[in-house]
Amino acid sequence: MAAVVAAVLVAATVATTAPANAAEPFVPDHAGFPNPTEHSQQAYEPESDFTSKWTRADAMQMKAMSDPTAPAGENSMPEDVTMPTVPQDFPDMSNDEVWVWDSWTLTDGSSDQPSYKGWEVLFSLVADRDLGFDERHLYARLGYFFRKADIPDDQRPENGGWTYGGLVFPENDVTSSSTAIFEDRSFSHYTQWSGSTRLMEDDKLRLFYTSVAFFRDPVTNADTKPYDPRLVQTEGRIFADETGVWFTGFRDQHELLKADGEYYQNGEQNPFFNFRDPFTFEDPANPGETYMVFEGNTAVPRENRACTADDLGYAEGDPEAESLDEVLESGATYQMANVGLAVSENLAMTDWKFLPPILSANCVTDQTERPQIYIEDGKYYLFTISHRGTYAWNIDGPEGVYGFVGDGIRSDFQPMNQGSGLVLGNPTNLNIPRGDPFAPAVGQHPGHFQSYSHYVMPDGLVQSFIDTIGTSDDFTRGGTLAPTVRLDIDGSNSRVDRSYGVDGLGGWADVPSNLAANVPSTPDPRPTP
C-alpha cells in the first residue's frame, strides 16, 4: 500500500511540475513567416557601445504584410504604409533649369524649419539638364531655392512657387577650397552629396554635406581606386530683401570625418562602401551637445562572412527561422548598412568624434541613406531611406522611408509598424520583379519608382523627389520634387494621412516652414556688383 501511495505522489508531482518546465509553444504572428525580434526601446548613453539591430526577422515582416494574390500592376502593400500614387503629368519646380533630387530645409538645433525674413529656403542636389538624368550623381552641386512664406498651398503656382537661386558655392570655388581637402588631386570627378543646413545665431549658417572625389579611367570609366567621400562643414551668411535670398561666405571647407575602418567601413575594406549624408541636431536629454547621424556600413572587409545569429534575430523555436549557415552562404553578407553617430567637440562644430553606430542592418540592406532624428512626445524616431534593390537575399520591401522608435538617440530601437520598419513606401507589388528606374519591370505598379530620398519634416510632413513614374512601355523620368504627404505618427505605429491634400497628396514641392527665425525683418542691402 505504501508503494502505491508513493507512486501516486510521484505521478502527481510530475503532473504538477511538467507544465512549468515545458517550453511555451511558439505562436506565429503571420503563418509562414517568422516573428519580428523583440525590442525594448530602452535608451542608452550616447557614448555607450550598444548598437540596435534591424534584424532579418524584423525586415521579413514586409513580405508578411504583402498580399501574395495582388495581380500585376497593383500594389501589394497595406494602404497605411503606402504613398498615394503620383500622377505622371507633373510640373517642374525649376522651370527646366536643373535636375533636382535630394533636398532639405533650413533647420535649427531642434530640427524645426524656420523661414528667414519672410522667405522659405530649400537646399537641393542639382545638376545641369544637359546631362542625362542618371549621370547626375557624378556632377551634383548644392543649389538652393526660395519662396515667400505663409502663403496657402492653394494660392501658389502649381510647381510650388519656388525661385531657383543658383549654386550655394560659386562654381569657381569648387576647384579650389571645396576640393582642397583631398590629398590625391588626380580625381576624375568631384561631386557634392546630401547633408543638412543649420541656422545658427542671427544670419550665420553652417552647411554640412558630403564632398566626394571619384577616380575613374577616362576611356573605360572604371574606377582606378575607391571613391573618397568626406563629411564636410562650411560656414556662410544668409541675407534677404523684398526680392529674394542670397548667401556669402562658404569659403573655408572643414573636413569633419572620413570613414575610419573601425566603426565605419572604408574603401580599403570595400570599394563600394557608403559614407555620407550628415544630419546634425541637439538632444534635449544631453544639453550643450550637438550630435550628427549619417549613413555608413559596418566596418568589416567585404569578403568577410560577418553576420551573426543576433543579426538574424529569430526567436528560439521559430519554425520559419533561417539558419545562420544558409544566410552566410547566400551572399547576404554584402549588405552591411548602419546608421552612424558622432558628437561635436567644439562650439564651431569643426571637430567631431565618432561614436559607435546607433543602428545596424547587417545581412538586411546595404543602404540606410539620409538618416534623421525626429523627437516627438518624448520619443526619438530614427528615419532613414532604402532602395528595394539594396536588400539582401530573401528580404524584400519597397523604396521609401523606414522608421525606428526608442527612448533616446541610442536605444534598442523598435522598427515601426508590425516590427517591419516600413513607414512610407512607394506603391509596389512584391510579387513582381523591381526592374530599374530607367527600365521598369513588366507588370510592376507604375508608382514603384515614383519617389525617393524622403525627408521627414515637422508635423509628420514628408517631401521627396520624383524618380520614375509609369509602366515598362510608358514612363517619365522626374528630377523635381513630388507632392508632399503627411504621416500620422503614434508611438511605434504610423499611417499615411489620406485626408491631407487631395486623397493624401499635398502640393507639389510644398516644403513649408513651421516658424519664423528670430531675426529683424529689415531687408538686407544687396551687395554692389
Side-chain angles (χ1 to χ4, degrees):
M1 182 68 180
V4 172
V5 171
V8 170
L9 289 173
V10 168
T13 302
V14 170
T16 10
T17 58
N21 293 333
E24 290 290 330
F26 182 83
V27 179
D29 292 344
H30 300 280
F33 294 94
N35 284 1
T37 305
E38 291 188 5
H39 297 273
S40 68
Q41 300 188 29
Q42 177 185 340
Y44 296 81
E45 290 299 316
E47 303 220 3
S48 127
D49 62 359
F50 177 83
T51 297
S52 187
K53 294 181 182 295
W54 185 19
T55 67
R56 288 181 63 86
D58 295 329
M60 286 284 188
Q61 305 312 305
M62 289 184 283
K63 289 203 290 190
M65 295 159 69
S66 178
D67 178 3
T69 67
E74 298 295 323
N75 175 44
S76 71
M77 303 303 291
E79 186 176 84
D80 280 352
V81 293
T82 300
M83 183 174 178
T85 302
V86 177
Q88 192 168 347
D89 181 18
F90 51 82
D92 174 47
M93 65 182 293
S94 80
N95 296 311
D96 295 326
E97 284 197 62
V98 288
W99 298 122
V100 177
W101 62 110
D102 299 13
S103 299
W104 61 93
T105 65
L106 275 182
T107 60
D108 62 15
S110 302
S111 300
D112 282 314
Q113 297 180 178
S115 60
Y116 188 82
K117 296 194 175 186
W119 296 95
E120 293 171 341
V121 184
L122 184 71
F123 297 83
S124 300
L125 298 189
V126 300
D128 195 299
R129 284 201 172 228
D130 289 339
L131 295 167
F133 188 51
D134 294 310
E135 297 178 276
R136 69 192 190 279
H137 300 290
L138 286 178
Y139 302 94
R141 295 291 184 263
L142 302 182
Y144 76 101
F145 294 81
F146 55 86
R147 69 178 187 179
K148 278 292 187 183
D150 302 322
I151 296 177
D153 176 60
D154 59 5
Q155 295 179 26
R156 294 190 186 276
E158 186 185 22
N159 70 354
W162 295 97
T163 296
Y164 178 53
L167 299 180
V168 175
F169 309 147
E171 186 64 11
N172 61 336
D173 287 346
V174 168
T175 55
S176 54
S177 64
S178 296
T179 60
I181 61 173
F182 297 105
E183 301 83 8
D184 186 345
R185 310 291 296 172
S186 68
F187 51 81
S188 58
H189 300 79
Y190 167 74
T191 190
Q192 298 159 0
W193 286 352
S194 288
S196 55
T197 306
R198 285 275 296 278
L199 179 63
M200 311 303 291
E201 65 275 10
D202 301 323
D203 61 357
K204 183 192 297 183
L205 295 182
R206 287 188 178 142
L207 201 161
F208 300 83
Y209 70 103
T210 315
S211 193
V212 188
F214 284 91
F215 304 85
R216 294 193 168 177
D217 184 278
V219 177
T220 65
N221 204 36
D223 290 332
T224 58
K225 61 180 285 190
Y227 83 122
D228 187 357
R230 316 266 181 109
L231 305 187
V232 173
Q233 186 247 89
T234 181
E235 189 173 292
R237 296 288 188 273
I238 181 172
F239 301 96
D241 62 11
E242 300 90 340
T243 60
V245 173
W246 69 97
F247 306 112
T248 64
F250 301 127
R251 300 295 181 181
D252 297 323
Q253 312 291 318
H254 301 280
E255 179 185 319
L256 306 181
L257 297 166
K258 62 180 179 179
D260 61 349
E262 178 183 356
Y263 292 131
Y264 305 105
Q265 193 177 61
N266 61 23
E268 292 181 3
Q269 296 168 318
N270 176 9
F272 310 108
F273 74 112
N274 297 299
F275 184 72
R276 55 179 178 260
D277 305 341
F279 177 87
T280 71
F281 62 97
E282 296 171 4
D283 178 13
N286 292 276
E289 301 283 12
T290 295
Y291 295 95
M292 173 198 296
V293 288
F294 53 89
E295 177 188 9
N297 287 130
T298 300
V300 294
R302 179 173 166 80
E303 65 275 9
N304 278 23
R305 291 155 47 102
C307 293
T308 67
D310 287 342
D311 294 317
L312 274 58
Y314 296 111
E316 184 177 353
D318 192 328
E320 303 300 332
E322 305 160 304
S323 73
L324 182 58
D325 284 343
E326 179 184 19
V327 174
L328 294 177
E329 291 294 332
S330 72
T333 51
Y334 292 125
Q335 283 76 43
M336 301 289 286
N338 69 22
V339 173
L341 184 68
V343 61
S344 178
E345 297 199 291
N346 67 344
L347 292 176
M349 302 183 193
T350 55
D351 293 326
W352 291 75
K353 179 177 75 173
F354 277 131
L355 299 175
I358 57 174
L359 182 77
S360 68
N362 298 335
C363 283
V364 173
T365 185
D366 195 47
Q367 290 187 342
T368 44
E369 296 186 90
R370 300 195 68 196
Q372 301 171 248
I373 292 290
Y374 180 101
I375 302 173
E376 185 74 21
D377 296 331
K379 289 292 187 180
Y380 290 67
Y381 292 87
L382 169 61
F383 291 114
T384 184
I385 56 175
S386 204
H387 287 290
R388 188 180 181 194
T390 62
Y391 280 111
W393 167 80
N394 208 27
I395 302 289
D396 203 359
E399 313 252 318
V401 184
Y402 292 82
F404 309 83
V405 60
D407 292 328
I409 57 175
R410 184 179 299 280
S411 295
D412 182 13
F413 284 109
Q414 180 179 346
M416 296 176 68
N417 296 324
Q418 300 181 38
S420 69
L422 179 60
V423 169
L424 180 68
N426 285 341
T428 299
N429 193 324
L430 294 190
N431 309 315
I432 304 291
R434 63 182 176 85
D436 291 290
F438 55 83
V442 174
Q444 187 50 260
H445 190 286
H448 181 270
F449 292 112
Q450 68 180 16
S451 65
Y452 193 63
S453 200
H454 306 75
Y455 183 82
V456 182
M457 303 180 287
D459 196 34
L461 298 180
V462 185
Q463 61 94 348
S464 57
F465 81 92
I466 296 173
D467 192 346
T468 298
I469 302 176
T471 59
S472 58
D473 56 356
D474 178 22
F475 63 90
T476 303
R477 303 307 301 274
T480 186
L481 293 194
T484 295
V485 299
R486 184 179 180 277
L487 298 172
D488 284 326
I489 299 172
D490 181 15
S492 62
N493 298 306
S494 67
R495 66 177 184 85
V496 177
D497 181 357
R498 300 274 164 172
S499 69
Y500 182 75
V502 179
D503 297 327
L505 291 178
W508 299 95
D510 187 31
V511 185
S513 56
N514 69 324
L515 53 79
N518 186 22
V519 295
S521 59
T522 311
D524 295 308
R526 285 271 173 177
T528 304

